[in-house]
Amino acid sequence: MAPESLLAAVDLGSNSFRLEIGRVGSHQRIERVEYLKETVRQGNGLNEHHELTDEAMQRGWDCLARFGERLAGFPADQVRAVATQTLREARNRDVFIARGSALLGFPIEVISGEEEARLIYRGVSSLLPPSQQRRLVVDIGGRSTEVIIGQHGEARQVASYPIGSVAWSTQFFGEGTLSRAHFSAAIKAAQAALTQTVSAYPATAWDCAYASSGTANAVGDILAANGYSGGMITPDSLRWLHEQLMEAGHVDRIRLAGLKEDRRAVIAGGLSILIAALGLLGINELEVAQGALRQGVLHDLLEHEPPADREAAEIAALQQDFGIDAPHALRVRKVARWAWQSLHAQQPPDALSTHALDTAASLHEIGMRISLSAYHRHGAYITEHCGAATWPVELRARITQLVLGHQGKLRKLEAAIEDQAVAWPLLALRLAVQLCHARRDPDLQGIRLHRSDSVFHLTVPEGWAKSYPQSAQLLRTEAVAWQKTPWTLQLHLH
């Protein structure tokens, strides 16, 4: 990246939206130019159906319009906008993202919890001095909490849990009451939600611990203003803050130096999770870090590694880790792409479905390392939960559907398969798997695949079925599988 170039990161968090602009300085260092923050509280705008209310969407759009004015004229490859847990949960996120992206002037990407954790660690480590230490990072956001272990600038182990300061404050302190009973319930629930961290992040796996983002900074500011070391959170200092909040009795009566007004409504929920995390992880000292998600985004932009290159490396690593036959995966991918393009002779395919099909084809046998029996189900679990892959939420869901459905009966995708965005790439992948059953390049000469409304027509040349009897039989079985769906596979075998 050329010196003096401007980079911008937009963080659509559950509590606040943030815009940070950095200038590339000497030795490829990023110098902050501008930082904008608005308390949007989208996390409070999810209704009982997990949909964003009109008011919550409008608050977000108004903020993004203001950010968009500041970002006008920025090159597309120098801006990245990422959304986290609230939009991961929101069922109507597509509505918000479509208009929000237009107002911002740049696409909004809903990232996975694992990708959020990776970027958080990247941001934290970017503002820490070089060290050989293994660093534990705990980030309590509005609706999710990320726990990471890393070394140098690389995250080695990541996890994301759907609990946060906004969610916990709404659930346990919704009326503002700060009683001992409310805190006890909130802390116990946080301990239950984070219980896996006990075995996954033992004290022997890390050398020092850091806290990043909103809750950590808010607690640090309060402690510093009241005679404690604001840069270090300890169990004793948390007990003191816990007592102060209970003495206040209600969020409206909190009178604590260092507490910013925009944090008043969510401090109790964040504190409850922080108390639970320190207890479970056995942390005696938690240093408040300055870096956060947005700095991680900026440093990713600085390296200018295209997401496609990063994903290709992730897929290659997964293939190696799970013993996937990479040449066969490439073979299936090529045939699936042939089928996919054949189905779109009259209209271009959408990018998300194409991306999901390519990735699913590359990883469709990932579950075989666990068990050959029902390996597609093991594979779907891996793709859904694997932290080594940083796919956006919608892409991950689509990949998982394709891996799950690439073999066997189709009733396991009964609801989803009505959608052509699922059915068409699934057909392409299943045909590719059948045609490549012998683990060599199939003879596609003269084979035609086309679609007429909801009917897929597969036509083979004269004598093909006799030359490849097993392939023909697998195709007949495949046609039967589609009979119980809204789609039909019509074979023309000669």
Side-chain angles (χ1 to χ4, degrees), residues 126-192:
S126 72
L127 297 181
L128 291 175
S131 172
Q132 296 293 327
Q133 290 180 312
R134 299 165 299 170
R135 293 161 168 161
L136 172 72
V137 176
V138 179
D139 184 290
I140 301 171
R143 291 188 74 88
S144 70
T145 293
E146 281 66 48
V147 184
I148 313 108
I149 291 177
Q151 195 169 23
H152 306 297
E154 181 182 356
R156 301 288 177 82
Q157 183 176 339
V158 299
S160 179
Y161 303 89
I163 65 172
S165 60
V166 173
W168 245 233
S169 294
T170 301
Q171 183 173 345
F172 296 98
F173 307 95
E175 297 180 357
T177 302
L178 304 176
S179 67
R180 191 172 299 277
H182 284 79
F183 267 109
S184 178
I187 294 169
K188 287 179 180 177
Q191 289 171 335

Side-chain angles (χ1 to χ4, degrees), residues 289-335:
Q290 298 306 306
L293 172 65
R294 59 190 183 277
Q295 284 84 17
V297 172
L298 290 176
H299 279 80
D300 261 17
L301 288 170
L302 176 62
E303 286 192 357
H304 205 59
E305 179 185 26
D309 290 351
R310 184 169 65 244
E311 185 182 9
E314 291 172 354
I315 290 174
L318 287 171
Q319 288 179 330
Q320 182 176 358
D321 290 346
F322 287 91
I324 292 175
D325 182 346
H328 180 62
L330 179 60
R331 180 183 302 117
V332 170
R333 178 176 171 174
K334 287 180 178 178
V335 176

Side-chain angles (χ1 to χ4, degrees), residues 362-375:
S362 299
L363 300 174
H364 72 283
E365 292 185 337
I366 195 170
M368 284 187 176
R369 174 60 65 87
I370 298 174
S371 172
L372 183 60
S373 176
Y375 75 87

Side-chain angles (χ1 to χ4, degrees), residues 87 93-94 97 110 352 356 391-399 401:
L87 285 175
R93 60 175 172 264
D94 291 346
I97 290 169
V110 181
L352 177 67
W391 302 305
V393 175
E394 289 186 46
L395 178 60
R396 182 184 290 269
R398 191 70 59 79
I399 291 168
Q401 288 173 325

